[in-house]
Amino acid sequence: MRKTYTLVILVLLSLLVKAQTLPNGFETGNRTKTNLNIGWKFHLGDLKTNPTAINFDDSSWKDVSVPHNPQLVSYELDSIKETWVQEKYLRDVSWYRKKIKITADASQKVFIEFEAVHNATELWVNGKKAGNYAVNGYTPFHFDITNFVKFGEENTIAIKADNTYNQTIAPDPHRTDYVKFGGLYRDVYLVTTNKLHVNYNWEAFDAGVHITTPTVNKNNGTVTIKTTVKNENSTNKRSKIITNIINKDGFVVKKLISEINIAANSVHTFRQSATVEEDYHLWSPDSPYLYRINSVIYDNETPVDFVENTFGFRKFSLEKGKGFVLNGEPLFLVGANRHQSYPNIGDAVPNSFHYNEALQYKKAGMNIIRLSHYTQDDAFIKACDELGIFIYEEPSTWIEWGDDNWFSNLEKATRTMIRNHRNHPSIIVWGAGINHRGPVPRMQTVAKEEDPFRLTASASAPWDGPKNEGITDVHATMDYRRTEFPESAFTMVMEHGSSPNAEVNQFHISRYKGNKNNFAAITWLGADYNHLQPDIVDDQWSRDFMTTYGVLSPYRVPKPVYYWYQSELVKKPIIHIADETASKDGKVRVFSNCQEVELYQDGKLIATQLPDNDVTKTNLNHPSFTFKHNWKSGTLKAIGYSNGEKVTEFTRQKESKPHHIKVEYNITDQPFYAGGSDIRLVYASILDENGEVVTNTKNEVQFSITGAGEIIDNGKIYANPAKVYNGVAAIYVKGSNATGNITITAKAKGLKPGKATINTVKYNTNEIANHAQPIYDFPIERVDIGGEKQLVQFDWQEWTGNSNNDLSYILKHTNTRVEISVNKKINWLGNGTSMIGDLSFVGTDGVYVEEGEITLKLSNLKAGKYAIETFHHARKTDIKLTNDIEVTVEDVEGSFTRVSDDHIVNYYDNASSGERQPIAIKSTFISDGSKTITLKFKSINKKGTLWLNGFKLKQIK
């Protein structure tokens, strides 16, 4: 008996914990996902003895958190004398060790999941080799460690991250225009599941979850969901899957249920489809509406696993004379290329940085980002889904290719990339070529095998390869001068020149917009980044270790060109006087989407101008305003006018001597997590007395820190004191294990210091709880009312009658009792005749009265707020089809009467509602769980009949 009590207590405790950590309606089964980013031991370099044993002494190793870069680098890559082949620089082995408590039991599965590791990975668990992955350094993978762990005990994990030069792992062994950093640089997770579970997307074509939207119309769409369940039990399992399609507010709009026997040690792919007509929204850059698909897996009636993804309804195509067409409307795409690296920390970038950078591009008005030249972090893709930014993604290559083993690994990496990211509505293009060289048949066929629904791009160059799309869908080219367009191919300039003053960007974007077969202009580059030298001998190819032509600085500080993008692409009124990195040499550049700009100096009008009337800017929405003015001192004010009225203004003062420092953090609208896995950039802006950034100052800034954090610096990378670039110095800070306030102080010789404080919070390592959102599974009752021969609407409940004895009905899903009453004679129509229109089978029959009212009473409702839509289409020709119906709702809050105005335009044909649904009235009410709800309908017209064809009822809170 005591054992029984103990079991009951444990079950209750388990339910209590789940209730405390998960929102309403969220079921996880046995699945857990634990973030392992914090608390690793790290050693750089290989060892004579592999440090894989449980009792290996790692006390002298460094304490680190993931994302982790094994070697911090200086702003200029330590001025290393090595070409961009990069055979030795940063090409080291890194070792990581961690103790993990496995709380699962032996009936479950245990996995370690890596979002990516540079470059080849080997894993040991409790001293035993558990697996290796040597395919690619930019794609996710996992190891099944079930047979290596000690359940209920502490386990030792050892990881060898081998970033040495490799002949078979792309982009090695070739030159690349980006640096191959090392380490555990993306998130790591411990995942436990039931033996009956959804597997990983990248395991096979039919694996994990695959969502497609084969039909996307303006007012409805069809979604298909393939969910693969693996049964790793030694017995057959009766498995059921319940899939909910959920709107952005958490309400279930469709429920799909499938059930089947899955044989022992086998997999089954459930195939489910649904049409969404109600609560239907399209995904677009202007309105990035995301639905959730939540599937729970059952072993008989016991929930054992779950999986959740988001998706959006959007349809795109390439059409002659229109270019890129999204949801039926032409859309020209403007954006930037993105490298994931940051100065000093390389690729070890936290999720908060990925989101914040995507947000910066969105605020610039950009609607497409090319992920050059490799697969990038899930966090950035998800941010683009949420913000409404299209993505062109490609596997890791650049210019050259290798042998069959090399291509085999690249093919595997491409399949993994697509399977991992195929459900994201933001992605519209897969790279199917090698950058600079053009389309590659093997890459094209792999991409189309995995995803025939998206476009493929050629990754071409104007100096070799096909002059069109070749075997791919899109001619994606680069243009840094003035490249000739193809004769007929749909073209995107995947790389075009950029300049801080925006002149180069305007030239290329205008030029490509002038041809309707061109549909995208993507600048090189979003943010400046590190790269090595093409050739350390030939001075002709000598260049800086950091680029200088990004829209954002390496530390993601906007340059003047950023504000031109805003003026060109953002709808709200914009006006901006470019700073002195762009307003110089007798020209003041103003970026605005106003029709006209007045420029004043010290209150005196300099000039009134329209946008630049320049042939190189002809096709732009809002060319810049270039004022020929030698600005030597004083204050400039730009005032923007549209339709003769002042809209907005901007003031900038001439930069003067550095005076003080302003300290800011790059992210203040997201939690800053303690433990070192999350970081923040600290900006120290050198300001003059007027608060203007002094862009030409040469100060060095010394940072100091107090509180619960530390500055990221190894003393070898010249990070502190920090050099100033365009008036801003930057440094990184991370939190200690303990939460608390962090204060950064910035000082420079002769300047008033600045300081700023930020606080850290504890990170919840339960990734499921972190991302879980409520699910409100309120059934939607749809009832079609009519006589004996009524035509019932598809998937609606049938309420058929012919007398007063048929005036009550029990709803199928909620057991709600519905009663119809009238104060005069009631009539039923259901003679098999039909009508035309949406929900025509609802409108074609029903009950009606020739005089008086119709009352609808609802009882046995649960407490909550409800929405009801009642249909009132008159099928007899004795009344004009109007909205002239008075409705009175009586609920717990009292009585409310109104005249319906839900239909604006009257109908004149009783047998047709055109392309709309029958006349309907939408009402809301609140139930306390006991009081009967009453709705009374009264025709305002003295002549004619009053109808009730059916209704839709749903709880909304």
Side-chain angles (χ1 to χ4, degrees), residues 27 36 101 106 217 240 278 333 343 353 428 448 458 551 575 632 659-660 670 699 717 809 826 921 955:
E27 175 60 62
L36 299 181
K101 179 73 177 291
N217 295 324
K240 178 172 65 176
E278 301 165 24
L333 304 178
F353 278 35
I428 55 171
K448 287 299 183 180
S458 62
V551 175
I575 193 164
K632 295 181 178 180
H659 177 264
H660 63 280
Q670 299 181 49
N699 299 79
I717 59 171
Y809 187 83
I826 193 165
I921 299 175
Q955 188 173 347

Side-chain angles (χ1 to χ4, degrees), residues 128 218 593 781 830:
K128 296 181 179 179
K218 186 176 181 179
N593 52 15
E781 304 280 14

Side-chain angles (χ1 to χ4, degrees), residues 759-799:
N759 70 293
T760 61
V761 297
K762 185 177 180 180
Y763 186 75
N764 181 9
T765 59
N766 183 340
E767 289 292 333
I768 293 174
N770 287 342
H771 297 96
Q773 300 177 54
I775 300 174
Y776 302 108
D777 189 6
F778 299 140
I780 302 175
E781 304 280 14
R782 301 175 178 88
V783 179
D784 190 350
I785 301 172
E788 289 183 348
K789 295 181 180 181
Q790 74 156 320
L791 301 176
V792 181
Q793 189 70 32
F794 300 114
D795 300 324
W796 284 50
Q797 298 172 55
E798 177 182 353
W799 184 349

Side-chain angles (χ1 to χ4, degrees), residues 191-322:
V191 177
T192 65
T193 70
N194 192 280
K195 288 186 178 179
L196 184 68
H197 63 97
V198 178
N199 57 359
Y200 284 96
N201 278 27
W202 49 79
E203 290 186 39
F205 177 76
D206 278 334
V209 178
H210 190 180
I211 304 167
T212 57
T213 51
T215 299
V216 177
N217 295 324
K218 186 176 181 179
N219 297 308
N220 60 73
T222 300
V223 57
T224 67
I225 308 112
K226 295 193 299 182
T227 308
T228 300
V229 175
K230 180 180 286 189
N231 178 17
E232 298 196 58
N233 294 280
S234 57
T235 58
N236 296 350
K237 289 291 180 180
R238 185 68 180 173
S239 181
K240 178 172 65 176
I241 180 172
I242 298 180
T243 296
N244 286 318
I245 302 172
I246 305 163
N247 72 9
K248 69 178 180 63
D249 298 315
F251 292 96
V252 174
V253 297
K254 274 295 175 75
K255 181 185 294 291
L256 306 171
I257 302 175
S258 305
E259 194 168 357
I260 200 169
N261 288 319
I262 303 180
N265 298 308
S266 67
V267 298
H268 173 75
T269 299
F270 290 96
R271 287 168 166 81
Q272 299 175 301
S273 298
T275 58
V276 177
E277 299 171 77
E278 301 165 24
D279 207 348
Y280 177 76
H281 307 272
L282 293 169
W283 187 100
S284 70
D286 288 338
S287 180
Y289 194 99
L290 291 174
Y291 292 88
R292 296 155 56 198
I293 289 185
N294 180 285
S295 297
V296 178
I297 312 302
Y298 291 80
D299 181 352
N300 287 313
E301 296 303 316
T302 302
V304 295
D305 196 18
F306 95 101
V307 64
E308 182 169 300
N309 291 268
T310 58
F311 82 98
F313 283 107
R314 88 287 184 261
K315 176 170 63 177
F316 59 86
S317 59
L318 297 176
E319 300 181 19
K320 292 293 184 181
K322 294 182 178 180

Side-chain angles (χ1 to χ4, degrees), residues 671-695:
F672 182 16
Y673 295 111
S677 180
D678 196 11
I679 63 177
R680 288 292 181 269
L681 262 168
V682 185
Y683 298 131
S685 300
I686 309 298
L687 307 183
D688 62 18
E689 283 190 290
N690 297 315
E692 293 286 349
V693 176
V694 184
T695 57

Side-chain angles (χ1 to χ4, degrees), residues 115-118 133 136-140 170-171 178 185-186 338-340 347 354 370-381 391-397 410 412-421 427 430-431:
E115 287 191 354
V117 177
H118 284 320
Y133 180 80
N136 192 264
Y138 297 92
T139 52
Y178 50 96
Y185 74 100
R186 289 186 189 162
R338 187 215 186 210
H339 274 299
Q340 67 186 8
D347 288 345
H354 289 300
R370 179 184 177 221
L371 303 181
S372 48
H373 301 287
Y374 41 77
T375 306
Q376 296 196 18
D377 199 290
D378 292 348
F380 189 83
I381 311 291
I391 288 175
Y392 165 178
E393 189 171 32
E394 57 194 7
S396 57
T397 64
L410 181 66
K412 292 175 185 176
T414 303
R415 293 186 190 277
T416 296
M417 173 187 75
I418 294 174
R419 292 169 185 174
N420 187 42
H421 288 159
I427 297 180
W430 301 118

